[in-house]
Amino acid sequence: MSLTPEDFTTLQLTETADRVWVRLHRPEVRNAIDQVMVDELHAVCAYLERTPKIMILAGTPSQAPTEDKPRGSKGIFASGADIAQLRERRRDDALAGINSGIFDRIAKLPMPVVAALDGFALGGGAELAYAADFRIGTEDLRMGNPETNLGIMAAAGATWRLKELVGEPLAKEILLAGKVLT
């Protein structure tokens, strides 16, 4: 069985002999992670669990500077969870761990997962990147968990993964003060 890129609406897929490129593709909402994207990521994981290949996660690429778009037009990895859907979720949805479930599944894949990061990787987008084995960012990367500015707490992996990745003091700055890393 192979992946059929035409079956995906929020992801763009490219498969080679040894890897699957997964590009988040909801540029109209800065690649906000919604239920459809979560479902499509589960489908990719199911495929990779049967057919081990390296997975490279990326977002919308930055565009080369032109007269219309000068230097500084950043790409977008993911701006976080889809806020419109978050507002509709209730207690049972939170307990179901919709986003944390897919991030855990990605973290447990039996092959390397690389997050290629450009532009914004915030909130759930950062948590998706934390689930990868490797994170490689451009100089335009802005990564963090500004959830405290919304009066909520990061709940899809950052509170337990970030301490292991960057140490406790910096993890606390990111999670409790909303620090965004460059």
Side-chain angles (χ1 to χ4, degrees):
M1 179 182 162
S2 66
L3 291 171
T4 308
E6 298 79 30
D7 292 342
F8 293 83
T9 59
T10 67
L11 304 176
Q12 293 178 336
L13 305 176
T14 305
E15 185 175 4
T16 65
D18 63 347
R19 69 194 67 168
V20 174
W21 286 84
V22 178
R23 185 174 298 282
L24 309 179
H25 189 68
R26 294 186 71 218
E28 69 282 358
V29 289
R30 303 174 88 173
N31 293 337
I33 300 168
D34 69 348
Q35 185 64 56
V36 174
M37 186 179 285
V38 167
D39 293 343
E40 290 182 1
L41 285 167
H42 274 296
V44 171
C45 287
Y47 173 75
L48 292 173
E49 289 161 353
R50 290 187 309 274
T51 313
K53 295 181 179 203
I54 295 168
M55 177 164 64
I56 301 171
L57 285 167
T60 304
S62 59
Q63 297 179 353
T66 65
E67 281 186 40
D68 301 2
K69 289 203 169 226
R71 170 113 176 89
S73 55
K74 297 176 186 161
I76 300 169
F77 181 70
S79 61
D82 189 304
I83 299 298
Q85 282 190 2
L86 278 183
R87 287 188 177 130
E88 294 173 12
R89 291 183 184 169
R90 297 293 171 248
R91 177 187 173 276
D92 290 341
D93 296 318
L95 292 174
I98 294 167
N99 288 4
S100 64
I102 186 57
F103 300 163
D104 284 343
R105 190 170 186 183
I106 289 169
K108 292 176 183 172
L109 284 171
M111 74 292 297
V113 176
V114 178
L117 305 168
D118 185 29
F120 295 102
L122 300 172
E127 290 177 299
L128 173 57
Y130 303 154
D133 297 297
F134 302 97
R135 286 151 299 284
I136 302 169
T138 68
E139 62 185 35
D140 289 330
L141 175 62
R142 301 296 178 265
M143 184 175 195
N145 291 88
E147 285 91 339
T148 55
N149 299 324
L150 299 172
I152 60 176
M153 194 67 191
T159 54
W160 58 91
R161 284 195 184 99
L162 200 51
K163 179 180 167 186
E164 293 177 16
L165 294 173
V166 300
E168 186 173 344
L170 184 53
K172 285 181 178 180
E173 276 189 70
I174 294 167
L175 294 170
L176 302 176
K179 179 179 177 104
V180 174
L181 303 175
T182 58

